[in-house]
Amino acid sequence: MKKLSALIIALIVALAPLNLSYALTDSEIEALRGTKLYVYNWGEYISDGQDDTVDVNAEFEKKYGIKVVYDTFDNNEVMYSKLKSGGVSYDVVIPSDYMIARMIKEGMLQKIDFDNIPNYKYIPDKYRNLSYDPANEYSIPYTVSYVGLIYNTKMVDEAPVSWKALWDKDYSNQILMFNNPRDAFAIAQSLLGMDYNMESEVAWRTAAALLKEQKSVSPVYVNDEIFLKMESGEDALAPYYVGDYLTMHDNNEDLAFVYPEEGVNYFVDAACILSGAKNKLAAELYLNFLNEPDIALANAEYICYGSPNEAVYTNPEYTYYEDELLYPEEGAFKTQMFTNLSPETLALMSTLWDDVKNYIPSGGALSSVFFGGEDNSPGADAEKMTAETVKYAICIGVFLLLVAAYLLFRFIRKKYRDNI
Amino acid sequence: MSKRASFASRAAASPYIVWAALFIIAPLIFVVYYSFTNASGDFTLIYIQTLPKYLPTFLRSIWFGIVATIICLLIAFPLAYIISQKSDKAQRTFVLLVMLPMWMSFLIRTYSWIALLQDTGIINSFLNKLGIDSVHMINTGGAVILGMVYNFLPYMILPIYSVMAKLDYSMVEACQDLGGNTFNVIRRCIIPMSLPGVVSGITMVFVPSVSTFYISQKLGGGSFDLIGDVIERQFQQSYNYNLGASLSLVLMVLIVISMAIMNHFSEGEGEMVI
């Protein structure tokens, strides 16, 4: 019996290449049944069965019998830190372009066997061989999208055309800003007409100075709180991803969206297989599954980001079919992609970002709450910052003095009482 | 016999020693190691040298922590006293009410304060209905301190209450016999005797307040950093474990110093303090 099964397996293995040269065979797929596949993706980035949508992971499990263990992250850097620190092991991960370039460089990704991904045929040439993966060996585009400016038409009378709107004092306390350095710097760099991927220290410092200047309108640095804040009509202006704007617009009709004239970030999030993947065949099966026309359509409808899948965006039944915002004409506005920065520039960027976040301009949120009645004369920012520090130092000093005086008092009293 | 007993007691303690070594001592060693090395593991002091840059952030965090702790103490002490004076049944209900919010995630509770405090939020819409102008509350230092007080108040109430509940009431009676009025009873009797609870309450509020990051990000709008935010960013975003570790090390030293000061207070417990 054992011999017989061994013979069958040998036969299957021998026949496999003849059978279907471009995809996994049925028996190979059958062999994966009961295994587990670990997937690491952005939050809210897959159709999950809410509100009668397709539950993609459940469908995959049903079809192939492979259990999908699914985790999410908030941003590329968090994902990178987590993978880099070890302790976690995933098969499939969906980072953004520049992060893919970095991960390829650091050997964190492995080449995909495109013979196992027949559905790659749905990805047109314009989404292949992009700068982050020039030979297209490591990644399959999952979403494509742009950053733009969301504004509330009830609060902003005239549609803004420039990123300068985010520096407009008329909207103080009503401006939101990216809470991650790369996206925040990109806005300043657009305004300054700079390349997002420059390596010049002076240029980065100039951009940081512009971001510091923005603090005089008290921007609020947000991640996903932006949904709560924009949908409730709390804030007037926010830079964010166009796909998320479409989601917000469904909940608040007053919101509108523009692509500022200085240019915006164009990005691609793509599915990759990690070097340490324990279930590579299942991972390829999963990547292929994500590009099945109906599955890709369900995801595109759910996520609201642009889809690089031809079967989706040429489908007239797709909600965002020929949508001007999601699929703008090429060259309609300036775009730039992020590429991987050198470690030195990355370190510089995080230091500068710390500086921006810690910078307190005249009349900032802090001084108004605790030390009201300050003179808000502009041009004394540096002094203001030291003044702020000195104030805290004095407050803490006085507090410590009181504590010390009290301890001394107790000590003396004890001595005194002992003497009696 | 005694040797065997000590072996048995040591064996019984060993799981806890292993636990402490693995999850308390080892991480501390890692923090120190990372503080004094660079990304490639060589000894360096550059991260320690960059720390003065973060002085304003440190001072701000400490000051916010002090303010939050004082407010917590001012609210918690009378409250704990009032609860401890109630009947047993009422005490259980009140303690349950104090702990009730802790059954929900700290993150969700903080997040919902955004909806309460924002300019178009619940509180301001209510004020507008009453014909009062909106008050700008969200994204200010005050909102962050409010968040700290709200989140950490139970950690102040519970230790003070548990000391007060077990208080030897004959002392209070003795005080009254000697002619003390309510004020004197509280001042000369209740406060000194509940001091251990106050000290542990202060520690339990001050330490998390100084090192918090989630509250300042959500309620402060991220427009100014507390030291916890900086540390969190080094680990999560910048992948700069070394700088993050040096900042944590300094924070730990500061906390140890403040706890040492606190312990001075509980040393003379039982004697008349004020």
Side-chain angles (χ1 to χ4, degrees):
Chain A
M1 196 60 205
K2 246 186 182 172
K3 265 188 187 167
L4 190 68
S5 59
L7 191 74
I8 291 169
I9 290 170
L11 253 167
I12 290 167
V13 172
L15 289 176
L18 303 172
N19 186 1
L20 282 162
S21 59
Y22 62 89
L24 290 170
T25 61
D26 289 349
S27 55
E28 277 176 306
I29 292 170
E30 200 52 42
L32 293 170
R33 202 166 273 280
T35 58
K36 279 185 180 171
L37 180 70
Y38 291 83
V39 178
Y40 200 25
N41 192 3
W42 294 80
E44 301 277 318
Y45 223 44
I46 196 163
S47 180
D48 64 358
Q50 271 177 24
D51 308 329
D52 295 330
T53 53
V54 180
D55 187 338
V56 171
N57 286 332
E59 289 295 316
F60 182 76
E61 278 170 21
K62 211 163 77 190
K63 186 163 175 187
Y64 296 108
I66 300 169
K67 170 112 184 71
V68 178
V69 183
Y70 188 81
D71 284 323
T72 60
F73 54 84
D74 317 319
N75 66 53
N76 286 303
E77 284 68 28
V78 169
M79 181 268 316
Y80 175 85
S81 296
K82 213 162 187 183
L83 291 177
K84 201 75 180 169
S85 66
V88 289
S89 127
Y90 292 98
D91 298 301
V92 174
V93 67
I94 307 188
S96 306
D97 36 38
Y98 69 97
M99 190 50 78
I100 293 173
R102 183 172 179 186
M103 291 168 81
I104 292 174
K105 207 175 134 206
E106 296 182 16
M108 293 167 75
L109 301 178
Q110 61 173 304
K111 288 186 182 170
I112 298 170
D113 185 352
F114 280 86
D115 289 343
N116 292 335
I117 323 264
N119 287 336
Y120 188 59
K121 66 176 184 240
Y122 295 118
I123 308 291
D125 280 345
K126 63 175 171 178
Y127 298 126
R128 291 184 181 196
N129 308 332
L130 296 167
S131 59
Y132 56 88
D133 186 9
N136 220 116
E137 296 167 312
Y138 296 92
S139 61
I140 296 172
Y142 183 66
T143 53
V144 292
S145 199
Y146 304 88
V147 169
L149 184 58
I150 306 171
Y151 64 98
N152 189 324
T153 47
K154 284 221 168 124
M155 300 158 100
V156 183
D157 301 331
E158 228 174 290
V161 289
S162 159
W163 285 121
K164 274 188 205 122
L166 293 173
W167 273 254
D168 191 337
K169 286 220 163 53
D170 292 349
Y171 305 110
S172 283
N173 291 322
Q174 295 181 332
I175 289 173
L176 304 183
M177 191 64 187
F178 279 116
N179 197 12
N180 75 74
R182 200 77 207 259
D183 282 320
F185 269 100
I187 291 172
Q189 287 161 337
S190 302
L191 267 173
L192 294 164
M194 288 174 177
D195 183 349
Y196 295 168
N197 305 305
M198 60 199 178
E199 296 279 348
S200 135
E201 185 178 337
V202 184
W204 279 95
R205 287 192 184 281
T206 317
L210 189 60
L211 288 177
K212 283 183 185 172
E213 204 184 303
Q214 192 192 17
K215 293 203 89 172
S216 58
V217 299
S218 305
V220 179
Y221 295 87
V222 289
N223 297 320
D224 43 4
E225 305 96 278
I226 186 173
F227 289 94
L228 172 69
K229 291 187 185 249
M230 289 309 284
E231 287 173 7
S232 69
E234 167 82 2
D235 290 286
L237 292 154
Y240 220 61
Y241 314 109
V242 56
D244 293 320
Y245 156 72
L246 293 170
T247 311
M248 285 179 229
H249 185 76
D250 287 344
N251 296 321
N252 184 350
E253 297 274 314
D254 298 331
L255 299 179
F257 187 90
V258 288
Y259 288 113
E261 59 186 9
E262 292 91 356
V264 298
N265 172 222
Y266 165 59
F267 64 88
V268 179
D269 291 343
C272 307
I273 302 179
L274 285 159
S275 302
K278 295 198 180 73
N279 203 353
K280 191 180 180 227
L281 286 181
E284 283 165 348
L285 210 54
Y286 189 75
L287 298 195
N288 191 48
F289 186 73
L290 288 180
N291 279 300
E292 296 281 356
D294 52 335
I295 297 299
L297 180 66
N299 273 336
E301 297 272 6
Y302 180 89
I303 310 170
C304 299
Y305 279 47
S307 171
N309 191 311
E310 222 165 22
V312 173
Y313 68 76
T314 56
N315 181 353
E317 278 168 30
Y318 171 42
T319 314
Y320 300 107
Y321 174 67
E322 294 189 343
D323 186 272
E324 283 177 1
L325 289 174
L326 267 193
Y327 303 102
E329 273 176 50
E330 251 171 86
F333 48 88
K334 274 187 261 178
T335 61
Q336 286 192 57
M337 275 186 101
F338 288 142
T339 59
N340 184 28
L341 298 170
S342 69
E344 294 77 31
T345 309
L346 280 175
L348 174 70
M349 183 177 76
S350 25
T351 321
L352 290 174
W353 181 240
D354 278 354
D355 292 348
V356 169
K357 292 296 290 286
N358 271 307
Y359 178 77
I360 294 172
S362 317
L366 282 173
S367 44
S368 56
V369 165
F370 279 100
F371 309 97
E374 287 299 310
D375 72 299
N376 288 335
S377 58
D381 285 348
E383 282 167 38
K384 199 82 178 189
M385 173 117 186
T386 2
E388 196 87 40
T389 309
V390 170
K391 257 177 243 160
Y392 287 127
I394 292 173
C395 289
I396 295 166
V398 167
F399 178 77
L400 289 179
L401 262 178
L402 284 175
V403 171
Y406 177 65
L407 283 177
L408 192 71
F409 164 70
R410 264 194 5 163
F411 178 75
I412 293 169
R413 189 180 57 183
K414 191 162 179 268
K415 274 270 157 79
Y416 174 73
R417 282 186 184 157
D418 288 349
N419 284 339
I420 294 172
Chain B
M1 186 66 201
S2 71
K3 235 184 183 174
R4 272 172 78 185
S6 84
F7 174 75
S9 69
R10 241 186 263 171
S14 65
Y16 305 102
I17 293 170
V18 171
W19 176 271
L22 269 181
F23 296 107
I24 300 171
I25 310 294
L28 283 177
I29 293 171
F30 275 118
V31 168
V32 176
Y33 169 78
Y34 275 117
S35 313
F36 293 101
T37 51
N38 61 17
S40 48
D42 302 321
F43 177 80
T44 176
L45 285 175
I46 51 164
Y47 296 107
I48 300 288
Q49 279 159 357
T50 55
L51 292 182
K53 200 179 99 175
Y54 297 99
L55 181 71
T57 316
F58 269 111
L59 291 177
R60 188 184 302 136
S61 307
I62 293 169
W63 179 239
F64 277 32
I66 291 175
V67 173
T69 311
I70 292 174
I71 297 175
C72 274
L73 185 60
L74 291 178
I75 299 174
F77 194 88
L79 194 61
Y81 180 70
I82 292 166
I83 295 176
S84 72
Q85 297 302 304
K86 300 275 179 210
S87 70
D88 278 2
K89 206 179 160 195
Q91 283 190 26
R92 275 199 297 275
T93 315
F94 276 113
V95 171
L96 188 74
L97 285 176
V98 169
M99 300 222 292
L100 202 60
M102 290 159 80
W103 295 1
M104 233 186 304
S105 164
F106 155 74
L107 305 181
I108 296 172
R109 282 182 289 132
T110 309
Y111 200 90
S112 40
W113 270 104
I114 302 178
L116 281 172
L117 291 180
Q118 61 185 6
D119 292 345
T120 53
I122 295 165
I123 294 175
N124 273 324
S125 347
F126 183 69
L127 287 180
N128 291 341
K129 285 247 165 67
L130 295 178
I132 305 169
D133 279 345
S134 298
V135 185
H136 181 65
M137 292 177 286
I138 193 82
N139 309 326
T140 59
V144 175
I145 291 181
L146 173 72
M148 289 175 178
V149 170
Y150 167 75
N151 277 307
F152 303 131
L153 190 61
Y155 301 107
M156 185 69 95
I157 298 177
L158 294 176
I160 298 180
Y161 161 76
S162 61
V163 172
M164 279 180 175
K166 286 193 219 97
L167 218 122
D168 185 358
Y169 206 72
S170 58
M171 295 282 247
V172 176
E173 282 164 354
C175 198
Q176 282 164 339
D177 284 349
L178 291 168
N181 55 17
T182 318
F183 175 73
N184 266 324
V185 168
I186 292 175
R187 196 187 119 190
R188 299 202 177 265
C189 189
I190 308 278
I191 291 182
M193 287 203 290
S194 55
L195 212 57
V198 173
V199 168
S200 63
I202 289 177
T203 318
M204 284 166 77
V205 172
F206 182 69
V207 173
S209 301
V210 167
S211 54
T212 187
F213 60 90
Y214 189 81
I215 297 173
S216 52
Q217 275 170 21
K218 301 296 142 171
L219 301 180
S223 45
F224 52 88
D225 273 342
L226 294 188
I227 199 64
D229 297 311
V230 183
I231 296 175
E232 189 245 357
R233 201 156 57 236
Q234 303 314 321
F235 285 102
Q236 293 258 40
Q237 295 258 358
S238 315
Y239 194 62
N240 191 347
Y241 279 26
N242 307 95
L243 180 56
S246 347
L247 289 162
S248 314
L249 187 68
V250 176
L251 186 62
M252 274 195 292
V253 170
L254 282 174
I255 288 173
V256 168
I257 291 173
S258 54
M259 276 165 69
I261 296 174
M262 281 317 297
N263 283 339
H264 254 278
F265 280 92
S266 49
E267 256 173 23
E269 86 189 54
E271 71 177 88
M272 302 292 173
V273 208
I274 294 178

